[in-house]
Amino acid sequence: MKRLIACLDTIGGRVTKGVKFFDNIDIAPAEEIAEKMQSLQIDEIIFFDVTASNEKRGTDLATMKKVAEKVSIPFIVGGGIRNLDDIRAVLNIGADKVSVDSIAVRNPDIIREAAAEFGGGAVVLSTQVKRDENFPSGYQVYIDGARVAAGLDAIEWIKRGEELGAGEICVNSIDRDGVATGYDIELMKKCEAAVSVPLIASGGAGKPEHLLSVFTQTNASAAIISSMLYSPRLPRNYTPLELKKYLTENGVKTT
């Protein structure tokens, strides 16, 4: 069963939509969009406080509390996670999972420590990657809102993340982010050959056919959609219900 995940990038408690992590357009309050997505039967929501790491601050717990009051579906929180106390605080307000990204690159042991204390199922390793032929896999990891090159090979990094205990890995293509040209299938195939934990594909969804491609050509267990749901840059938006109907009609089982 394949899952559809709404990725809501937040700045100051509001959902925004950018292209390759820049030129963000303001959309609406995070809790408002989350409640709407739940009513339209999205499977999960992932929130990224996209400027927290770059601004060297913690995640926006006040906004996440508002979200927790509005939704009952699983949601994940990332951005601004600095230590186990931050993870504990996010889980205590009602999040089901925590996404670690920049902090995991700087302190990989946080993956192991979090998995030991909260269970691997609560730890999602999110990684932002960009094509770079100077690395063996052809992809390099970026951190701090995709603004800083980490000097790590993307495939070697996700293998390390699995070894440390991450229960799920979200792979976001910076090159495809917000451009609506389809997921990086080559990247996802390299990832699935390297790890055995569930993979979330992210970056590039613009129409239903893109979801069909990633679910039929790779073993991704879930796909992140955001532009398709609410971006004013696209000629039209879709509801999760429409997308699930399309996938079901084309032989892909959804939740």
Side-chain angles (χ1 to χ4, degrees), residues 128-143:
Q128 322 303 322
V129 309
K130 192 173 185 178
R131 283 184 179 269
D132 189 330
E133 296 306 320
N134 292 313
F135 288 79
S137 70
Y139 296 88
Q140 182 183 186
V141 173
Y142 278 67
I143 58 174

PDB file of all heavy atoms in Angstrom, residues 128-143:
ATOM      1  N   GLN A 128      18.635  16.111   1.800  1.00  0.00           N
ATOM      2  CA  GLN A 128      18.476  16.915   0.591  1.00  0.00           C
ATOM      3  C   GLN A 128      19.699  16.647  -0.285  1.00  0.00           C
ATOM      4  O   GLN A 128      20.835  16.833   0.169  1.00  0.00           O
ATOM      5  CB  GLN A 128      18.406  18.416   0.928  1.00  0.00           C
ATOM      6  CG  GLN A 128      17.638  18.761   2.194  1.00  0.00           C
ATOM      7  CD  GLN A 128      16.213  18.269   2.198  1.00  0.00           C
ATOM      8  OE1 GLN A 128      15.544  18.299   1.168  1.00  0.00           O
ATOM      9  NE2 GLN A 128      15.734  17.829   3.347  1.00  0.00           N
ATOM     10  N   VAL A 129      19.490  16.227  -1.503  1.00  0.00           N
ATOM     11  CA  VAL A 129      20.627  15.853  -2.344  1.00  0.00           C
ATOM     12  C   VAL A 129      20.562  16.551  -3.703  1.00  0.00           C
ATOM     13  O   VAL A 129      19.492  16.881  -4.207  1.00  0.00           O
ATOM     14  CB  VAL A 129      20.712  14.324  -2.537  1.00  0.00           C
ATOM     15  CG1 VAL A 129      20.660  13.607  -1.194  1.00  0.00           C
ATOM     16  CG2 VAL A 129      19.613  13.816  -3.435  1.00  0.00           C
ATOM     17  N   LYS A 130      21.743  16.752  -4.242  1.00  0.00           N
ATOM     18  CA  LYS A 130      21.868  17.440  -5.528  1.00  0.00           C
ATOM     19  C   LYS A 130      22.857  16.688  -6.399  1.00  0.00           C
ATOM     20  O   LYS A 130      23.848  16.134  -5.908  1.00  0.00           O
ATOM     21  CB  LYS A 130      22.361  18.874  -5.289  1.00  0.00           C
ATOM     22  CG  LYS A 130      22.272  19.799  -6.482  1.00  0.00           C
ATOM     23  CD  LYS A 130      22.616  21.218  -6.056  1.00  0.00           C
ATOM     24  CE  LYS A 130      22.411  22.185  -7.202  1.00  0.00           C
ATOM     25  NZ  LYS A 130      22.697  23.587  -6.790  1.00  0.00           N
ATOM     26  N   ARG A 131      22.586  16.673  -7.679  1.00  0.00           N
ATOM     27  CA  ARG A 131      23.492  15.988  -8.605  1.00  0.00           C
ATOM     28  C   ARG A 131      24.882  16.623  -8.551  1.00  0.00           C
ATOM     29  O   ARG A 131      25.026  17.841  -8.583  1.00  0.00           O
ATOM     30  CB  ARG A 131      22.960  16.052 -10.039  1.00  0.00           C
ATOM     31  CG  ARG A 131      21.816  15.073 -10.304  1.00  0.00           C
ATOM     32  CD  ARG A 131      21.380  15.096 -11.763  1.00  0.00           C
ATOM     33  NE  ARG A 131      20.313  14.134 -11.995  1.00  0.00           N
ATOM     34  CZ  ARG A 131      20.499  12.877 -12.375  1.00  0.00           C
ATOM     35  NH1 ARG A 131      21.735  12.431 -12.569  1.00  0.00           N
ATOM     36  NH2 ARG A 131      19.477  12.075 -12.580  1.00  0.00           N
ATOM     37  N   ASP A 132      25.885  15.752  -8.457  1.00  0.00           N
ATOM     38  CA  ASP A 132      27.269  16.214  -8.412  1.00  0.00           C
ATOM     39  C   ASP A 132      28.157  15.057  -8.838  1.00  0.00           C
ATOM     40  O   ASP A 132      28.339  14.090  -8.097  1.00  0.00           O
ATOM     41  CB  ASP A 132      27.633  16.673  -6.994  1.00  0.00           C
ATOM     42  CG  ASP A 132      28.986  17.378  -6.940  1.00  0.00           C
ATOM     43  OD1 ASP A 132      29.863  17.056  -7.760  1.00  0.00           O
ATOM     44  OD2 ASP A 132      29.160  18.239  -6.057  1.00  0.00           O
ATOM     45  N   GLU A 133      28.702  15.154 -10.020  1.00  0.00           N
ATOM     46  CA  GLU A 133      29.486  14.052 -10.574  1.00  0.00           C
ATOM     47  C   GLU A 133      30.825  13.856  -9.877  1.00  0.00           C
ATOM     48  O   GLU A 133      31.561  12.912 -10.180  1.00  0.00           O
ATOM     49  CB  GLU A 133      29.697  14.277 -12.076  1.00  0.00           C
ATOM     50  CG  GLU A 133      28.409  14.260 -12.894  1.00  0.00           C
ATOM     51  CD  GLU A 133      27.581  12.996 -12.665  1.00  0.00           C
ATOM     52  OE1 GLU A 133      28.183  11.907 -12.566  1.00  0.00           O
ATOM     53  OE2 GLU A 133      26.347  13.115 -12.561  1.00  0.00           O
ATOM     54  N   ASN A 134      31.153  14.732  -8.932  1.00  0.00           N
ATOM     55  CA  ASN A 134      32.399  14.564  -8.190  1.00  0.00           C
ATOM     56  C   ASN A 134      32.275  13.517  -7.081  1.00  0.00           C
ATOM     57  O   ASN A 134      33.265  13.195  -6.431  1.00  0.00           O
ATOM     58  CB  ASN A 134      32.830  15.900  -7.570  1.00  0.00           C
ATOM     59  CG  ASN A 134      33.235  16.917  -8.617  1.00  0.00           C
ATOM     60  OD1 ASN A 134      33.996  16.601  -9.525  1.00  0.00           O
ATOM     61  ND2 ASN A 134      32.711  18.128  -8.506  1.00  0.00           N
ATOM     62  N   PHE A 135      31.050  13.004  -6.886  1.00  0.00           N
ATOM     63  CA  PHE A 135      30.814  11.999  -5.855  1.00  0.00           C
ATOM     64  C   PHE A 135      30.480  10.660  -6.516  1.00  0.00           C
ATOM     65  O   PHE A 135      29.878  10.635  -7.600  1.00  0.00           O
ATOM     66  CB  PHE A 135      29.698  12.454  -4.916  1.00  0.00           C
ATOM     67  CG  PHE A 135      30.127  13.584  -4.018  1.00  0.00           C
ATOM     68  CD1 PHE A 135      30.182  14.885  -4.502  1.00  0.00           C
ATOM     69  CD2 PHE A 135      30.524  13.341  -2.715  1.00  0.00           C
ATOM     70  CE1 PHE A 135      30.609  15.935  -3.693  1.00  0.00           C
ATOM     71  CE2 PHE A 135      30.952  14.379  -1.898  1.00  0.00           C
ATOM     72  CZ  PHE A 135      31.000  15.678  -2.392  1.00  0.00           C
ATOM     73  N   PRO A 136      30.858   9.547  -5.880  1.00  0.00           N
ATOM     74  CA  PRO A 136      30.683   8.226  -6.497  1.00  0.00           C
ATOM     75  C   PRO A 136      29.269   7.937  -6.993  1.00  0.00           C
ATOM     76  O   PRO A 136      29.085   7.365  -8.067  1.00  0.00           O
ATOM     77  CB  PRO A 136      31.084   7.268  -5.375  1.00  0.00           C
ATOM     78  CG  PRO A 136      32.072   8.044  -4.567  1.00  0.00           C
ATOM     79  CD  PRO A 136      31.569   9.454  -4.584  1.00  0.00           C
ATOM     80  N   SER A 137      28.265   8.316  -6.217  1.00  0.00           N
ATOM     81  CA  SER A 137      26.883   8.039  -6.614  1.00  0.00           C
ATOM     82  C   SER A 137      26.345   9.037  -7.620  1.00  0.00           C
ATOM     83  O   SER A 137      25.309   8.825  -8.244  1.00  0.00           O
ATOM     84  CB  SER A 137      25.974   8.050  -5.384  1.00  0.00           C
ATOM     85  OG  SER A 137      25.830   9.378  -4.882  1.00  0.00           O
ATOM     86  N   GLY A 138      27.056  10.161  -7.770  1.00  0.00           N
ATOM     87  CA  GLY A 138      26.569  11.237  -8.634  1.00  0.00           C
ATOM     88  C   GLY A 138      25.694  12.237  -7.905  1.00  0.00           C
ATOM     89  O   GLY A 138      25.126  13.145  -8.535  1.00  0.00           O
ATOM     90  N   TYR A 139      25.611  12.104  -6.566  1.00  0.00           N
ATOM     91  CA  TYR A 139      24.773  12.997  -5.765  1.00  0.00           C
ATOM     92  C   TYR A 139      25.487  13.370  -4.476  1.00  0.00           C
ATOM     93  O   TYR A 139      26.086  12.514  -3.819  1.00  0.00           O
ATOM     94  CB  TYR A 139      23.449  12.322  -5.407  1.00  0.00           C
ATOM     95  CG  TYR A 139      22.573  12.006  -6.591  1.00  0.00           C
ATOM     96  CD1 TYR A 139      22.713  10.791  -7.272  1.00  0.00           C
ATOM     97  CD2 TYR A 139      21.603  12.905  -7.031  1.00  0.00           C
ATOM     98  CE1 TYR A 139      21.915  10.491  -8.364  1.00  0.00           C
ATOM     99  CE2 TYR A 139      20.796  12.606  -8.117  1.00  0.00           C
ATOM    100  CZ  TYR A 139      20.951  11.400  -8.780  1.00  0.00           C
ATOM    101  OH  TYR A 139      20.157  11.102  -9.865  1.00  0.00           O
ATOM    102  N   GLN A 140      25.373  14.659  -4.111  1.00  0.00           N
ATOM    103  CA  GLN A 140      25.956  15.144  -2.853  1.00  0.00           C
ATOM    104  C   GLN A 140      24.853  15.591  -1.891  1.00  0.00           C
ATOM    105  O   GLN A 140      23.809  16.097  -2.311  1.00  0.00           O
ATOM    106  CB  GLN A 140      26.891  16.341  -3.100  1.00  0.00           C
ATOM    107  CG  GLN A 140      27.548  16.848  -1.822  1.00  0.00           C
ATOM    108  CD  GLN A 140      28.436  18.074  -1.980  1.00  0.00           C
ATOM    109  OE1 GLN A 140      29.101  18.502  -1.042  1.00  0.00           O
ATOM    110  NE2 GLN A 140      28.457  18.645  -3.178  1.00  0.00           N
ATOM    111  N   VAL A 141      25.089  15.411  -0.601  1.00  0.00           N
ATOM    112  CA  VAL A 141      24.169  15.842   0.450  1.00  0.00           C
ATOM    113  C   VAL A 141      24.349  17.330   0.728  1.00  0.00           C
ATOM    114  O   VAL A 141      25.475  17.833   0.770  1.00  0.00           O
ATOM    115  CB  VAL A 141      24.411  15.040   1.745  1.00  0.00           C
ATOM    116  CG1 VAL A 141      23.577  15.593   2.899  1.00  0.00           C
ATOM    117  CG2 VAL A 141      24.118  13.564   1.523  1.00  0.00           C
ATOM    118  N   TYR A 142      23.217  18.020   0.940  1.00  0.00           N
ATOM    119  CA  TYR A 142      23.226  19.425   1.355  1.00  0.00           C
ATOM    120  C   TYR A 142      22.480  19.561   2.682  1.00  0.00           C
ATOM    121  O   TYR A 142      21.589  18.764   2.993  1.00  0.00           O
ATOM    122  CB  TYR A 142      22.555  20.311   0.306  1.00  0.00           C
ATOM    123  CG  TYR A 142      23.469  20.681  -0.837  1.00  0.00           C
ATOM    124  CD1 TYR A 142      23.919  19.720  -1.735  1.00  0.00           C
ATOM    125  CD2 TYR A 142      23.913  21.990  -1.013  1.00  0.00           C
ATOM    126  CE1 TYR A 142      24.777  20.050  -2.776  1.00  0.00           C
ATOM    127  CE2 TYR A 142      24.763  22.336  -2.054  1.00  0.00           C
ATOM    128  CZ  TYR A 142      25.193  21.365  -2.930  1.00  0.00           C
ATOM    129  OH  TYR A 142      26.047  21.699  -3.953  1.00  0.00           O
ATOM    130  N   ILE A 143      22.842  20.566   3.467  1.00  0.00           N
ATOM    131  CA  ILE A 143      22.196  20.800   4.757  1.00  0.00           C
ATOM    132  C   ILE A 143      21.805  22.273   4.890  1.00  0.00           C
ATOM    133  O   ILE A 143      22.004  23.058   3.958  1.00  0.00           O
ATOM    134  CB  ILE A 143      23.110  20.390   5.932  1.00  0.00           C
ATOM    135  CG1 ILE A 143      24.446  21.151   5.879  1.00  0.00           C
ATOM    136  CG2 ILE A 143      23.344  18.884   5.917  1.00  0.00           C
ATOM    137  CD1 ILE A 143      25.344  20.898   7.091  1.00  0.00           C
TER     138      ILE A 143
END
